[in-house]
Amino acid sequence: MNQNPDIEKKRKPVYGWILHLHPRKVRESTLRFSLTFGLGGMAAVLVVLQVITGLLLKFHYEPSPENAYNSILNLQDSLLFGRMLRNIHHWSALFLLWTAFLHMLRVLFTGAYRKPRQANWIFGLALILLVVLSNFTGYLLPWDQLSYWAVTISTSLLAYIPLAGNFIREALLGGKDVGQATLTNFYNLHTGIIPVLMVAIMGYHFWRVRRAGGVITAEKDRESPMVDTQPHLVNREFVVAIVLLAIIFLISSLFDAPLRERANPSFSPNPAKAPWYFMGLQELLIHFHPMFAIVVFPVTVMTAACWLPYIKLSDANQGIWFLSANGIKSAKFSLIAGALFTVLFIGLSELLPDPELLLPSVPSIVTKGLVPFLILIVTLYFFLGFIRKKFSLNRAEFIQSVVIIMIASYAVLTLTGIFFRGEGMNLVWPWQV
Ligand code: HEM
Ligand code: HEM
């Protein structure tokens, strides 16, 4: 702690703005890296990096189907550090998606979504949605074969939403197909509306962390001493930020952001795949009726995610990774079971006869929707009952296990879609994709 007032005065201008984000003192126990892994801070650094590199890209990029692709080629080949700039924007977008996702898992697995942090969980959900949307809208901008067809496939999924599906799709595309209006819409969303919303929500998100009295700590650590934010927290944050930036710059100097041939609306690649983060949904669509794959599953998951922080939980294990020893055991078991069950499900759905062909007179929303959905729910019900008993789980540990099963399942669907689907979206080995 620094007691010299002159030095304190000199420090003020440098650290003043940082201290707007932080209180003057923080609890020593919250400084432990393994509590948060600095993931929220890393996500914040990455958003700033995206805004800076994005604004610089805007000087060179032309948002029209005729010129977009050429402007990227020009940027890469003729502008000093142009390729590096594009690479940094590309790789840090990927890092941001992963960092925000891992930060969300950190919050989940330390039980930090509960009162008084419920609102921050909900605003966090809005943030991750914006991160996905900025990745998705940015995807189209290079206007190459990969981006054109990935956006065509992903937006065609929207048409399955009952009643409003086509309206939403056409409003986003600005017409029936991906074209100039789509590029204009995506460009405006990507470089205007989404970043503005994101930065505004982030400001509120940080303020809520302060209002909750800092990040969560385990009960036993709540009486740990208070220490000065500067240097104790600020110095650690700088180290994390610098290491993160160094890794991104290194990757960007070694690996180029992908760019295929110019978009050709009359030639669709086979298979045409959505961006990787939507591949789980595209895979689900192979097994379920679109109404279930695109509407019932995602809406159920999103509703459950919003409801999560309001469920009454009595245990006091917040601030502890995976809540308890039982929580850890059940988490491991759920992870393996969720993954194996999904692999089995994909295998069976490949080997068993197609219910639509078997019972052509029954509507496919029943044979490929309601029936498999109910089978899934009943299986899950019995399985969850089994692990609840096996590990004597309380409600918080139980919810954690459900979340882990869902994540494991979506991960297997995504990996299958990316690595095991070839021509005609048939199952193949990864080297045949
Ligand atoms: C969280 C924020 C952001 C994310 C996740 C993001 C993501 C992306 C992605 C994935 C691409 C495609 C990159 C590629 O492979 O070519 C892209 C392109 C682009 N972004 Fe962003 N971006 C963000 C913010 C911004 C901002 C704030 C601007 C400008 C104000 C911007 C401007 C651009 C431009 C001009 C391109 C086209 C150049 C290119 O594709 O290389 N981005 N963005
Ligand atoms: C752009 C994305 C995001 C940024 C920049 C961000 C930033 C931060 C930061 C800096 C913190 C405090 C330090 C830390 O926990 O690492 C924090 C805490 C928190 N964040 Fe985020 N966050 C983002 C996304 C999310 C998401 C996706 C969720 C959940 C859905 C979420 C929920 C929370 C909650 C509940 C806290 C309080 C945790 C606690 O007190 O221990 N955030 N966030």
Side-chain angles (χ1 to χ4, degrees):
M1 205 193 306
N2 202 328
Q3 300 296 341
N4 184 336
D6 286 344
I7 294 179
E8 274 292 305
K9 237 185 220 163
K10 268 187 211 148
R11 269 181 183 162
K12 256 188 190 155
V14 184
Y15 292 106
W17 67 273
I18 291 175
L19 291 172
H20 271 89
L21 292 175
H22 291 307
R24 285 212 146 263
K25 286 176 185 289
V26 288
R27 215 166 271 295
E28 198 174 23
S29 57
T30 59
L31 297 177
R32 206 163 21 92
F33 187 60
S34 59
L35 178 66
T36 62
F37 290 102
L39 289 162
M42 286 193 222
V45 170
L46 290 169
V47 171
V48 174
L49 186 62
Q50 284 306 86
V51 171
I52 295 172
T53 50
L55 286 172
L56 292 173
L57 284 169
K58 256 176 91 114
F59 280 100
H60 218 76
Y61 177 76
E62 290 182 49
S64 74
E66 296 76 38
N67 300 328
Y69 185 75
N70 275 349
S71 72
I72 298 276
L73 286 182
N74 243 319
L75 171 92
Q76 294 193 149
D77 299 332
S78 322
L79 191 75
L80 188 65
F81 292 123
R83 186 178 290 269
M84 183 69 177
L85 186 63
R86 174 164 185 251
N87 291 353
I88 294 175
H89 197 74
H90 176 87
W91 294 119
S92 56
L94 183 70
F95 264 66
L96 175 60
L97 196 61
W98 274 105
T99 312
F101 176 66
L102 293 176
H103 168 62
M104 182 171 85
L105 293 190
R106 184 301 273 178
V107 169
L108 255 169
F109 297 145
T110 54
Y113 52 84
R114 303 185 220 165
K115 206 176 166 192
R117 298 177 172 83
Q118 318 89 309
N120 232 7
W121 170 261
I122 304 286
F123 280 93
L125 290 177
L127 279 174
I128 199 152
L129 205 69
L130 288 171
V131 170
V132 172
L133 280 180
S134 39
N135 264 289
F136 182 57
T137 48
Y139 209 98
L140 181 66
L141 304 186
W143 205 255
D144 63 347
Q145 269 297 70
L146 194 69
S147 67
Y148 181 90
W149 287 100
V151 170
T152 303
I153 290 289
S154 318
T155 49
S156 69
L157 304 183
L158 290 172
Y160 293 116
I161 298 173
L163 304 176
N166 267 323
F167 172 77
I168 299 174
R169 178 171 179 268
E170 284 178 23
L172 189 65
L173 295 191
K176 292 212 177 301
D177 299 307
V178 177
Q180 171 68 67
T182 319
L183 190 54
T184 309
N185 283 357
F186 274 45
Y187 181 67
N188 288 337
L189 283 168
H190 187 79
T191 61
I193 296 173
I194 296 174
V196 167
L197 273 177
M198 198 183 284
V199 170
I201 296 180
M202 264 168 60
Y204 184 70
H205 196 67
F206 298 158
W207 178 73
R208 297 286 318 196
V209 175
R210 267 192 85 162
R211 225 185 81 157
V215 292
I216 192 131
T217 39
E219 188 127 305
K220 65 175 174 47
D221 294 328
R222 297 229 169 110
E223 294 315 312
S224 87
M226 301 295 280
V227 292
D228 283 345
T229 301
Q230 169 14 64
H232 297 284
L233 176 58
V234 175
N235 283 8
R236 283 173 166 82
E237 285 174 335
F238 272 135
V239 171
V240 169
I242 283 168
V243 171
L244 175 70
L245 291 176
I247 293 174
I248 288 183
F249 285 12
L250 183 69
I251 291 177
S252 303
S253 56
L254 294 177
F255 304 101
D256 282 344
L259 187 69
R260 301 273 172 86
E261 58 278 26
R262 180 197 300 271
N264 178 357
S266 49
F267 173 71
S268 158
N270 187 359
K273 293 189 180 182
W276 66 268
Y277 35 88
F278 289 148
M279 273 316 293
L281 282 181
Q282 203 180 342
E283 177 66 29
L284 207 57
L285 201 59
I286 297 176
H287 309 284
F288 280 93
H289 185 274
M291 176 67 184
F292 279 80
I294 305 301
V295 183
V296 176
F297 281 110
V299 170
T300 311
V301 170
M302 277 193 263
T303 314
C306 292
W307 181 39
L308 181 68
Y310 302 99
I311 300 174
K312 265 208 153 35
L313 302 169
S314 53
D315 75 294
N317 292 353
Q318 298 175 54
I320 298 172
W321 273 93
F322 299 105
L323 308 174
S324 64
N326 272 357
I328 294 179
K329 277 189 219 150
S330 161
K332 284 184 191 158
F333 192 80
S334 306
L335 184 74
I336 295 170
L340 285 182
F341 175 79
T342 314
V343 171
L344 189 73
F345 169 77
I346 295 171
L348 282 179
S349 134
E350 182 73 11
L351 295 173
L352 295 177
D354 189 338
E356 264 180 308
L357 301 177
L358 215 60
L359 300 164
S361 55
V362 183
S364 70
I365 192 161
V366 176
T367 50
K368 260 195 117 171
L370 201 59
V371 173
F373 182 71
L374 288 178
I375 295 176
L376 192 72
I377 295 289
V378 171
T379 317
L380 205 59
Y381 177 82
F382 282 110
F383 177 72
L384 290 173
F386 165 73
I387 54 169
R388 183 170 213 161
K389 252 201 188 143
K390 180 174 164 72
F391 298 104
S392 341
L393 300 180
N394 64 26
R395 208 185 256 187
E397 293 155 355
F398 178 74
I399 290 175
Q400 181 174 271
S401 304
V402 178
V403 174
I404 290 177
I405 291 172
M406 287 184 346
I407 292 171
S409 188
Y410 194 75
V412 171
L413 289 171
T414 306
L415 291 174
T416 309
I418 298 174
F419 296 112
F420 294 89
R421 293 277 170 199
E423 227 173 90
M425 291 304 274
N426 288 315
L427 272 185
V428 292
W429 292 111
W431 51 91
Q432 296 170 322
V433 170

